[in-house]
Amino acid sequence: VGSRLLAACAENGVALKNAKTLDLGNGIVAHGSVEELLKQKGLDAESIANVAMSFFKNPADVISGENDG
């Protein structure tokens, strides 16, 4: 989903200064409950929200406006 969003931004002229995609990484995923595995890989709701919120501490660091010099 992240790569699709980045592509859509590029296709529509939304210039991003910074972006982050999240994934499972490489290797074998350990055994455990879905909740445990998502948290371990940083893909649970809280982890995703923390990453998203870190971008919006200073929105100017994320979205490049037309008037940026």
Side-chain angles (χ1 to χ4, degrees):
V1 173
S3 59
R4 289 182 185 170
L5 288 173
L6 293 175
C9 287
E11 290 170 6
N12 290 288
V14 177
L16 300 176
K17 293 181 180 180
N18 199 354
K20 181 169 181 76
T21 56
L22 305 173
D23 61 27
L24 293 174
N26 296 324
I28 298 171
V29 177
H31 293 280
S33 71
V34 172
E35 292 82 14
E36 291 169 332
L37 297 175
L38 289 174
K39 182 155 184 75
Q40 180 184 52
K41 293 295 185 176
L43 296 173
D44 62 310
E46 182 179 359
S47 297
I48 292 170
N50 288 337
V51 169
M53 292 304 293
S54 72
F55 280 97
F56 292 103
K57 289 180 181 172
N58 187 2
D61 290 341
V62 180
I63 299 174
S64 176
E66 292 179 0
N67 297 326
D68 285 355

